[in-house]
Amino acid sequence: METQLKDLHPTQGQRQPKPELSERSESIHYEGSTKDDRSLLKPESSSSSSSILFSNESPEELEKKFAAFVRHDAYGPMGRGELSLEEKVLPAIAWVFLVPIRVVFAISLLLLYYVICRICTLFSAPNRDDDEQEDYAHMGGWRRAAIVQCGKFLSRIMLFVFGFYWIKETFRIPDNDDKSSAALNEVKDVCEEPERPGAIISNHVSYIDILYHMSSFFPSFVAKRSVAKLPLVGLISKCLGCVYVQRESKSSDFKGVSGVVTERVKEAHQDKSAPIMMLFPEGTTTNGDFLLPFKTGAFLAKVPVLPVILRYPFQRFSPAWDSISGVRHVIFLLSQFVNHLEVIRLPIYYPSQQEKDDPKLYAYNLRRLMASEGNLIYSDIGLPEKRIYLAALNGLLCQH
C-alpha cells in the first residue's frame, strides 16, 4: 500500500483524523518534519540547567508542556503520589502472595532460555561485523529454529507471569473511503506479489513491548552496547541479533551503526531467512497516549515496513514506562493482579517513490497513519525534553 497524505500539519495535543490519500503526482509538504532528528530545545541546554528553569513552574504547567510523559494512574507522578487505603492494601497483599511467585517464575524462565541459547550456540562462532557488533541470529538449521520457537513460547509465558493473561490483537485495514483509486490498484498489485517487510515499526510505551514483539515476531532490536555484556541477557540479545549502540557517544560511530541497521533492514526484506528488525522510531517511551516525532534512520533502507500499535489499558497502575524509575515500575507491575495489552496490526506499508527518495517524508506519512489508526495524539517533544521533565519533577517532589 503506497501512502501519501495531504498537507496537514499536526500540532501537539491534537488527535488526528483519518488521513486522506492523495494522487502520486501531487506535491506534498510536511511542515515541521525536520524536527524528527533534533530536540526542540537548544543543544547546549543541559538537563540540570533546564530543570532549574522549570523548577518555579507548577505541576499543572509541567504536565501541559510534557504531556506525553505524564502518568495518569492511581500512583501519581513518578509513582510517588498519595495513595488511598485501597491502593496501599492491595499491593501489600500482592507482595506477600503474588510477587514472590512471579519473581521465581520469571527468573526460572530467564535461566531456562539462557540454557537453551547456550546449548544452541555451543561450538558456533558468532557473526561479526566489527569489534562491537556480533550475533547468533544468522545461524541456520535446528539451532536457529530452537532459539526462535523457544524464544517466542517463553516470551509469551513471561507475559502471562507478568499478568498479561489475554492480549487483544486486531488486524486492521484502513477504510476504503480513505484510499484513492490509484492506492487501491497498488494494494491489489501488492496482494498478488507480496513483499516481506524489512522492519517492524512500533510505538514505544514500555519494556513490555519487547516481550510482546519477541513472542510474536522474534525480531532483532537496537540496544545499548552495555546490554551485550550483561549476564544471561547478553547472550540472549546476541541470539536475537541485536544491533548495539552507544546512546551517549558523540563519536562518528553513529553513521556506522546507522549503516548496520540499514543493511540489516534491507537484508530482512530480501532474505526470508534473515531476522527482521524491530525499530522504535520515537527513540524513547511515552505514556501510551501520544506519538513522538519519528527518527528517519528506520526509513533509510527504502523498503516496506510493518506498522504495529501497542496500547495498555489500565485501572490502577499504568504499565507505561514514562516518568517512573525502573525498579518502582517493576514492583508496581508485579503487584498488579491483571495487566492488559491491546495490539493493532496494520497492513504492510509500501513506500511510494517520493517516500523512498525522502526518508523524512516516509517517516512523516507513516507516523500520521499510525496516529490516526491508533487514536494517538501528536507530540513534538522527545528524549531531551523527557530528561528535563524528569529532572524538574524530581525537584518538585524533593521540595515537598
mmCIF file of all heavy atoms in Angstrom, residues 163-184:
data_model
loop_
_atom_site.group_PDB
_atom_site.id
_atom_site.type_symbol
_atom_site.label_atom_id
_atom_site.label_comp_id
_atom_site.label_asym_id
_atom_site.label_seq_id
_atom_site.Cartn_x
_atom_site.Cartn_y
_atom_site.Cartn_z
ATOM 1 N N GLY A 163 1.182 -11.006 34.316
ATOM 2 C CA GLY A 163 -0.224 -10.640 34.450
ATOM 3 C C GLY A 163 -0.934 -10.330 33.150
ATOM 4 O O GLY A 163 -2.112 -9.955 33.167
ATOM 5 N N PHE A 164 -0.247 -10.491 32.013
ATOM 6 C CA PHE A 164 -0.882 -10.260 30.714
ATOM 7 C C PHE A 164 -1.473 -11.582 30.235
ATOM 8 O O PHE A 164 -0.921 -12.255 29.366
ATOM 9 C CB PHE A 164 0.139 -9.709 29.719
ATOM 10 C CG PHE A 164 0.657 -8.345 30.069
ATOM 11 C CD1 PHE A 164 1.797 -8.191 30.855
ATOM 12 C CD2 PHE A 164 -0.002 -7.201 29.640
ATOM 13 C CE1 PHE A 164 2.276 -6.938 31.192
ATOM 14 C CE2 PHE A 164 0.470 -5.933 29.970
ATOM 15 C CZ PHE A 164 1.612 -5.808 30.755
ATOM 16 N N TYR A 165 -2.597 -11.953 30.840
ATOM 17 C CA TYR A 165 -3.209 -13.251 30.555
ATOM 18 C C TYR A 165 -3.849 -13.279 29.175
ATOM 19 O O TYR A 165 -3.834 -14.310 28.507
ATOM 20 C CB TYR A 165 -4.244 -13.572 31.630
ATOM 21 C CG TYR A 165 -3.711 -13.440 33.044
ATOM 22 C CD1 TYR A 165 -4.304 -12.567 33.963
ATOM 23 C CD2 TYR A 165 -2.594 -14.159 33.467
ATOM 24 C CE1 TYR A 165 -3.815 -12.432 35.246
ATOM 25 C CE2 TYR A 165 -2.085 -14.031 34.753
ATOM 26 C CZ TYR A 165 -2.706 -13.160 35.636
ATOM 27 O OH TYR A 165 -2.209 -13.019 36.904
ATOM 28 N N TRP A 166 -4.437 -12.183 28.769
ATOM 29 C CA TRP A 166 -5.079 -12.082 27.460
ATOM 30 C C TRP A 166 -4.512 -10.874 26.723
ATOM 31 O O TRP A 166 -4.375 -9.798 27.284
ATOM 32 C CB TRP A 166 -6.589 -11.921 27.594
ATOM 33 C CG TRP A 166 -7.239 -12.993 28.416
ATOM 34 C CD1 TRP A 166 -7.621 -14.240 28.001
ATOM 35 C CD2 TRP A 166 -7.569 -12.910 29.806
ATOM 36 N NE1 TRP A 166 -8.163 -14.939 29.047
ATOM 37 C CE2 TRP A 166 -8.154 -14.153 30.173
ATOM 38 C CE3 TRP A 166 -7.440 -11.927 30.778
ATOM 39 C CZ2 TRP A 166 -8.595 -14.417 31.455
ATOM 40 C CZ3 TRP A 166 -7.867 -12.179 32.062
ATOM 41 C CH2 TRP A 166 -8.440 -13.415 32.383
ATOM 42 N N ILE A 167 -4.187 -11.080 25.476
ATOM 43 C CA ILE A 167 -3.704 -9.990 24.620
ATOM 44 C C ILE A 167 -4.668 -9.863 23.446
ATOM 45 O O ILE A 167 -4.840 -10.792 22.658
ATOM 46 C CB ILE A 167 -2.280 -10.249 24.120
ATOM 47 C CG1 ILE A 167 -1.314 -10.308 25.314
ATOM 48 C CG2 ILE A 167 -1.841 -9.159 23.134
ATOM 49 C CD1 ILE A 167 0.116 -10.620 24.923
ATOM 50 N N LYS A 168 -5.290 -8.698 23.359
ATOM 51 C CA LYS A 168 -6.251 -8.459 22.282
ATOM 52 C C LYS A 168 -5.511 -7.947 21.057
ATOM 53 O O LYS A 168 -4.895 -6.888 21.081
ATOM 54 C CB LYS A 168 -7.290 -7.424 22.725
ATOM 55 C CG LYS A 168 -8.323 -7.102 21.660
ATOM 56 C CD LYS A 168 -9.307 -6.039 22.139
ATOM 57 C CE LYS A 168 -10.305 -5.680 21.056
ATOM 58 N NZ LYS A 168 -11.246 -4.610 21.521
ATOM 59 N N GLU A 169 -5.561 -8.716 19.971
ATOM 60 C CA GLU A 169 -4.886 -8.341 18.736
ATOM 61 C C GLU A 169 -5.921 -8.051 17.653
ATOM 62 O O GLU A 169 -6.818 -8.860 17.415
ATOM 63 C CB GLU A 169 -3.939 -9.442 18.284
ATOM 64 C CG GLU A 169 -2.772 -9.668 19.237
ATOM 65 C CD GLU A 169 -1.784 -10.688 18.715
ATOM 66 O OE1 GLU A 169 -2.204 -11.853 18.541
ATOM 67 O OE2 GLU A 169 -0.624 -10.338 18.470
ATOM 68 N N THR A 170 -5.772 -6.910 17.003
ATOM 69 C CA THR A 170 -6.672 -6.504 15.931
ATOM 70 C C THR A 170 -5.871 -6.318 14.657
ATOM 71 O O THR A 170 -4.851 -5.620 14.656
ATOM 72 C CB THR A 170 -7.388 -5.188 16.281
ATOM 73 O OG1 THR A 170 -8.082 -5.345 17.520
ATOM 74 C CG2 THR A 170 -8.367 -4.794 15.189
ATOM 75 N N PHE A 171 -6.321 -6.957 13.585
ATOM 76 C CA PHE A 171 -5.676 -6.792 12.287
ATOM 77 C C PHE A 171 -6.525 -5.812 11.492
ATOM 78 O O PHE A 171 -7.589 -6.167 10.990
ATOM 79 C CB PHE A 171 -5.555 -8.134 11.572
ATOM 80 C CG PHE A 171 -4.666 -9.109 12.288
ATOM 81 C CD1 PHE A 171 -5.150 -9.860 13.344
ATOM 82 C CD2 PHE A 171 -3.338 -9.257 11.915
ATOM 83 C CE1 PHE A 171 -4.334 -10.762 14.018
ATOM 84 C CE2 PHE A 171 -2.511 -10.143 12.590
ATOM 85 C CZ PHE A 171 -3.010 -10.902 13.646
ATOM 86 N N ARG A 172 -6.054 -4.595 11.403
ATOM 87 C CA ARG A 172 -6.873 -3.519 10.854
ATOM 88 C C ARG A 172 -6.430 -3.133 9.453
ATOM 89 O O ARG A 172 -5.241 -3.012 9.170
ATOM 90 C CB ARG A 172 -6.825 -2.290 11.767
ATOM 91 C CG ARG A 172 -7.682 -1.128 11.299
ATOM 92 C CD ARG A 172 -7.660 -0.001 12.301
ATOM 93 N NE ARG A 172 -8.229 -0.415 13.584
ATOM 94 C CZ ARG A 172 -8.243 0.352 14.666
ATOM 95 N NH1 ARG A 172 -7.717 1.568 14.620
ATOM 96 N NH2 ARG A 172 -8.780 -0.079 15.783
ATOM 97 N N ILE A 173 -7.430 -2.938 8.584
ATOM 98 C CA ILE A 173 -7.196 -2.430 7.232
ATOM 99 C C ILE A 173 -7.864 -1.065 7.136
ATOM 100 O O ILE A 173 -9.050 -0.940 7.456
ATOM 101 C CB ILE A 173 -7.779 -3.373 6.171
ATOM 102 C CG1 ILE A 173 -7.099 -4.753 6.264
ATOM 103 C CG2 ILE A 173 -7.606 -2.785 4.773
ATOM 104 C CD1 ILE A 173 -7.650 -5.770 5.301
ATOM 105 N N PRO A 174 -7.137 -0.029 6.771
ATOM 106 C CA PRO A 174 -7.742 1.307 6.665
ATOM 107 C C PRO A 174 -8.975 1.290 5.775
ATOM 108 O O PRO A 174 -9.063 0.520 4.816
ATOM 109 C CB PRO A 174 -6.613 2.156 6.046
ATOM 110 C CG PRO A 174 -5.359 1.433 6.434
ATOM 111 C CD PRO A 174 -5.708 -0.024 6.449
ATOM 112 N N ASP A 175 -9.951 2.138 6.102
ATOM 113 C CA ASP A 175 -11.208 2.192 5.355
ATOM 114 C C ASP A 175 -10.956 2.482 3.882
ATOM 115 O O ASP A 175 -10.118 3.308 3.520
ATOM 116 C CB ASP A 175 -12.127 3.270 5.932
ATOM 117 C CG ASP A 175 -12.520 2.961 7.374
ATOM 118 O OD1 ASP A 175 -12.501 1.772 7.733
ATOM 119 O OD2 ASP A 175 -12.831 3.917 8.119
ATOM 120 N N ASN A 176 -11.730 1.819 3.031
ATOM 121 C CA ASN A 176 -11.595 2.054 1.593
ATOM 122 C C ASN A 176 -11.912 3.487 1.212
ATOM 123 O O ASN A 176 -11.435 4.009 0.215
ATOM 124 C CB ASN A 176 -12.520 1.103 0.818
ATOM 125 C CG ASN A 176 -12.016 -0.328 0.856
ATOM 126 O OD1 ASN A 176 -10.868 -0.571 1.196
ATOM 127 N ND2 ASN A 176 -12.871 -1.273 0.500
ATOM 128 N N ASP A 177 -12.765 4.139 2.021
ATOM 129 C CA ASP A 177 -13.132 5.526 1.723
ATOM 130 C C ASP A 177 -11.940 6.456 1.797
ATOM 131 O O ASP A 177 -11.946 7.548 1.242
ATOM 132 C CB ASP A 177 -14.209 6.011 2.694
ATOM 133 C CG ASP A 177 -15.525 5.262 2.500
ATOM 134 O OD1 ASP A 177 -15.705 4.685 1.400
ATOM 135 O OD2 ASP A 177 -16.346 5.274 3.436
ATOM 136 N N ASP A 178 -10.909 6.008 2.551
ATOM 137 C CA ASP A 178 -9.741 6.863 2.740
ATOM 138 C C ASP A 178 -8.673 6.607 1.679
ATOM 139 O O ASP A 178 -7.577 7.142 1.757
ATOM 140 C CB ASP A 178 -9.136 6.631 4.127
ATOM 141 C CG ASP A 178 -10.054 7.113 5.231
ATOM 142 O OD1 ASP A 178 -10.834 8.036 4.967
ATOM 143 O OD2 ASP A 178 -10.003 6.554 6.338
ATOM 144 N N LYS A 179 -8.956 5.743 0.697
ATOM 145 C CA LYS A 179 -7.957 5.409 -0.302
ATOM 146 C C LYS A 179 -8.345 5.979 -1.657
ATOM 147 O O LYS A 179 -9.511 5.987 -2.036
ATOM 148 C CB LYS A 179 -7.819 3.882 -0.448
ATOM 149 C CG LYS A 179 -7.350 3.179 0.829
ATOM 150 C CD LYS A 179 -7.321 1.686 0.602
ATOM 151 C CE LYS A 179 -6.892 0.935 1.854
ATOM 152 N NZ LYS A 179 -6.939 -0.509 1.676
ATOM 153 N N SER A 180 -7.385 6.403 -2.378
ATOM 154 C CA SER A 180 -7.635 6.811 -3.750
ATOM 155 C C SER A 180 -7.707 5.575 -4.630
ATOM 156 O O SER A 180 -7.286 4.488 -4.236
ATOM 157 C CB SER A 180 -6.502 7.727 -4.243
ATOM 158 O OG SER A 180 -5.284 7.009 -4.304
ATOM 159 N N SER A 181 -8.238 5.700 -5.837
ATOM 160 C CA SER A 181 -8.318 4.559 -6.738
ATOM 161 C C SER A 181 -6.932 4.048 -7.095
ATOM 162 O O SER A 181 -6.715 2.846 -7.246
ATOM 163 C CB SER A 181 -9.066 4.958 -8.012
ATOM 164 O OG SER A 181 -8.415 6.040 -8.660
ATOM 165 N N ALA A 182 -5.987 4.964 -7.204
ATOM 166 C CA ALA A 182 -4.616 4.541 -7.504
ATOM 167 C C ALA A 182 -4.061 3.692 -6.380
ATOM 168 O O ALA A 182 -3.400 2.679 -6.600
ATOM 169 C CB ALA A 182 -3.721 5.769 -7.734
ATOM 170 N N ALA A 183 -4.334 4.106 -5.128
ATOM 171 C CA ALA A 183 -3.841 3.344 -3.984
ATOM 172 C C ALA A 183 -4.468 1.961 -3.945
ATOM 173 O O ALA A 183 -3.817 0.977 -3.618
ATOM 174 C CB ALA A 183 -4.132 4.100 -2.694
ATOM 175 N N LEU A 184 -5.761 1.858 -4.288
ATOM 176 C CA LEU A 184 -6.431 0.561 -4.280
ATOM 177 C C LEU A 184 -5.815 -0.363 -5.319
ATOM 178 O O LEU A 184 -5.652 -1.561 -5.077
ATOM 179 C CB LEU A 184 -7.930 0.756 -4.561
ATOM 180 C CG LEU A 184 -8.746 1.364 -3.430
ATOM 181 C CD1 LEU A 184 -10.158 1.655 -3.903
ATOM 182 C CD2 LEU A 184 -8.768 0.431 -2.229
#
